[in-house]
Amino acid sequence: MSHLIIEIGKEIGQELTIPETGMKFGRSPANNIVLDDDAVMLFHGRFFFKSDGSLWVTDFGAGEKTRVGGEPIDEHQLKTGDLVSVGHTAFRVINIHKDSVEETPNQPVKAIEVEAIDLGFKHSKNKLERAAETKGPASRLSHRLTLVATAFLTLLVVFLVLFSIQKIMAGNAANGTEKEYLTFKYERVDGNDNNIFRYYLELDLDGNLTLSMKDLDSKRKFDRTVKISSNVIKKLSGQVEKTGFYALEGDQIGKEPGYNLYDLVVQRNGLMKHVKVHNVNKPSDASQKITALLEEFARSQLDIPLSWTRSTEELFELAKSAFDVGQKKWEAREVRSANLAEAIVNFQETVKCLVDFEPKPELYLQAEKLLEESEALRDKRYEDYMFAADRAIRLKQWNEARKSLRYLQDLIPTDDKRYDEIRRKLIGVEERLR
């Protein structure tokens, strides 16, 4: 379920779904939403959900302001139809509700109402009743026998209807229309004279999705397993069928240099298909579609770190860029409270880019140290300014309380649980000042 669509900019027409963890946007590739727009800052802002489920946008305050409806904002609650502008790019809000996938409970079989069929018994019964009233015991016995025959015939009709329903349901289950069944094992290996990379993805019968990645050159390893809901598996199953994978004739073996392998086994509703693509310069469209589908599915479900989506050179470039920005913000931390918050974000990005490397690069160690110092300073300032705000509230010094709380609002990120407390107190203080 998409929440935003880009109406203006080079990415026009792209739809975006905001997860519960939010999405940062800006020019840097380290963002969740990367904008090819010179008027946008490296780390410009963030879309996110608050604890009450409302959709918000915040501006990191690093340059040109984010605008909603043409008005500059620091933080703003979004509603359907809002236009969010950043640089030469604009997002249109098309949905403000969280997207959730829920298990569909087993629905009870509804009782089928069988319309009464007049087989003439009502008319006969009335005649028999009249006869029984005038002709004595023999007629009354005949009347009882007729009633028994009517009841037996009704039960027989009901039995036949229920038997037919059961047969239909059994046929549906056998045809896979009652529940989707999907498992797969997918292995990709990329090898050359300098490195070997192995990617292994598996979905088992219990809905467990497991991904294992190993990179020989950087000595990185990634192993994670998550449980996938039956509704999500059902949706993926339909997408697998549309790739044309089952129409492939067999293995594709080529003679390209190096070692490149795609090996995929899929079982869907009792139908199994195994295809291997080895050292082929351009695999078939169906092969490319299904491997791209499965890898994209893994990215969405397993929260793969940024370090596994970029080359080593790209990661170090991103890390260096984020570190340089963070260091400048750290040095200017006394100028404005938001600088400290932005320094923390950039140091976190540096660490995230390099976290999977062993041994840890020097840049990682520097960023980790500065991150620890900046977070400790933020926590200390939170305690000091919150104490000052609470004291001012007790003394009914509303302007002083607002000043402290606004400082904290710039200091604490919106996804921090402390932010909601700051926001709640600030709203109360501002109501007092009206």
Side-chain angles (χ1 to χ4, degrees):
M1 182 184 297
S2 300
H3 296 101
L4 308 170
I5 185 169
I6 299 180
E7 281 197 353
I8 301 173
K10 294 183 179 180
E11 295 81 11
I12 186 170
Q14 180 180 350
E15 294 189 18
L16 304 165
T17 300
I18 309 300
E20 289 192 13
T21 52
M23 296 181 78
K24 294 191 286 285
F25 58 87
R27 205 170 70 250
S28 170
N31 291 286
N32 307 106
I33 305 171
V34 181
L35 300 176
D36 185 10
D37 187 338
D38 292 338
V40 174
M41 304 304 295
L42 283 173
F43 299 93
H44 202 110
R46 179 172 175 266
F47 294 103
F48 65 98
F49 286 102
K50 287 200 174 180
S51 56
D52 61 359
S54 57
L55 180 60
W56 291 68
V57 62
T58 188
D59 184 273
F60 289 159
E64 182 178 339
K65 298 293 290 183
T66 301
R67 296 175 179 271
V68 178
E71 297 295 325
I73 60 97
D74 292 315
E75 183 175 275
H76 187 83
Q77 182 176 358
L78 297 173
K79 62 182 184 296
T80 303
D82 278 349
L83 189 68
V84 182
S85 304
V86 288
H88 303 308
T89 304
F91 304 85
R92 178 72 67 181
V93 180
I94 57 178
N95 173 33
I96 59 173
H97 302 290
K98 286 186 179 180
D99 186 18
S100 60
V101 179
E102 299 179 353
E103 289 288 334
T104 303
N106 293 329
Q107 298 294 329
V109 179
K110 296 182 178 179
I112 297 179
E113 297 181 3
V114 181
E115 183 179 353
I117 302 174
D118 185 0
L119 300 177
F121 293 116
K122 289 184 179 180
H123 179 66
S124 301
K125 179 179 177 182
N126 292 335
K127 288 176 67 178
L128 288 169
E129 286 175 343
R130 290 195 297 271
E133 292 174 355
T134 58
K135 295 184 179 180
S139 296
R140 287 195 292 273
L141 177 60
S142 176
H143 168 62
R144 292 191 184 99
L145 290 174
T146 302
L147 288 177
V148 170
T150 302
F152 175 78
L153 183 58
T154 302
L155 289 173
L156 180 62
V157 171
V158 172
F159 173 79
L160 291 173
V161 171
L162 292 176
F163 178 78
S164 299
I165 294 173
Q166 185 181 18
K167 189 173 181 180
I168 291 171
M169 291 177 66
N172 287 342
N175 292 329
T177 57
E178 196 172 67
K179 182 181 179 181
E180 287 288 344
Y181 166 86
L182 177 69
T183 65
F184 60 78
K185 292 182 179 181
Y186 166 49
E187 180 180 23
R188 173 166 64 87
V189 179
D190 298 321
N192 54 45
D193 294 338
N194 301 315
N195 190 30
I196 297 177
F197 172 78
R198 181 178 183 267
Y199 178 105
Y200 181 79
L201 183 66
E202 178 178 352
L203 178 66
D204 66 19
L205 277 171
D206 296 323
N208 296 309
L209 183 69
T210 300
L211 174 61
S212 175
M213 295 188 291
K214 294 182 181 180
D215 188 89
L216 186 63
D217 180 45
S218 62
K219 299 180 181 179
R220 291 177 293 169
K221 293 183 180 180
F222 177 89
D223 292 284
R224 185 172 296 168
T225 300
V226 297
K227 183 79 171 181
I228 308 298
S229 71
S230 60
N231 281 348
V232 174
I233 292 175
K234 183 177 181 179
K235 181 178 180 181
L236 176 64
S237 179
Q239 293 172 333
V240 166
E241 184 179 24
K242 292 178 181 178
T243 62
F245 172 69
Y246 288 102
L248 290 174
E249 294 183 357
D251 297 345
Q252 304 171 47
I253 309 298
K255 297 182 180 180
E256 290 297 314
Y259 186 89
N260 296 286
L261 170 71
Y262 292 82
D263 195 349
L264 176 60
V265 180
V266 177
Q267 294 187 70
R268 178 179 180 271
N269 297 336
L271 180 63
M272 186 180 79
K273 182 76 173 180
H274 181 194
V275 171
K276 180 186 293 185
V277 180
H278 181 57
N279 284 10
V280 174
N281 182 35
K282 187 177 180 181
S284 64
D285 289 343
S287 298
Q288 294 183 68
K289 284 180 180 179
I290 191 167
T291 53
L293 170 66
L294 296 182
E295 291 189 23
E296 177 60 33
F297 180 74
R299 278 193 291 272
S300 66
Q301 300 297 322
L302 289 154
D303 191 24
I304 298 174
L306 173 69
S307 58
W308 286 98
T309 63
R310 299 288 192 275
S311 68
T312 301
E313 293 75 14
E314 289 176 315
L315 288 171
F316 273 95
E317 184 178 343
L318 291 172
K320 184 66 168 60
S321 175
F323 181 81
D324 289 344
V325 174
Q327 196 170 36
K328 290 180 181 178
K329 295 293 181 180
W330 169 250
E331 292 169 354
R333 60 188 178 276
E334 303 300 336
V335 178
R336 53 194 283 268
S337 57
N339 283 347
L340 178 57
E342 292 169 18
I344 292 173
V345 170
N346 282 278
F347 292 145
Q348 288 173 338
E349 290 295 331
T350 304
V351 168
K352 186 165 64 173
C353 286
L354 304 176
V355 68
D356 292 316
F357 288 90
E358 294 293 346
K360 292 293 186 286
E362 181 62 28
L363 185 62
Y364 174 92
L365 300 176
Q366 293 176 16
E368 189 177 46
K369 181 181 178 181
L370 286 173
L371 176 60
E372 184 178 349
E373 291 180 17
S374 56
E375 287 180 334
L377 178 60
R378 180 183 64 187
D379 293 343
K380 179 65 169 58
R381 289 188 176 179
Y382 170 79
E383 293 176 1
D384 293 344
Y385 277 83
M386 184 57 79
F387 177 82
D390 289 338
R391 181 177 180 277
I393 290 172
R394 287 195 301 271
L395 297 175
K396 298 184 179 180
Q397 298 173 347
W398 308 118
N399 283 319
E400 289 300 317
R402 179 171 61 179
K403 182 179 178 181
S404 295
L405 290 169
R406 283 184 172 175
Y407 178 91
L408 289 174
Q409 198 175 32
D410 290 337
L411 181 68
I412 303 299
T414 54
D415 55 356
D416 190 312
K417 62 182 181 181
R418 295 175 292 185
Y419 185 89
D420 289 338
E421 181 186 9
I422 297 167
R423 184 70 176 171
R424 177 179 58 80
K425 289 185 177 182
L426 182 58
I427 289 174
V429 167
E430 289 179 338
E431 286 179 352
R432 294 282 187 174
L433 290 168
R434 288 175 183 173

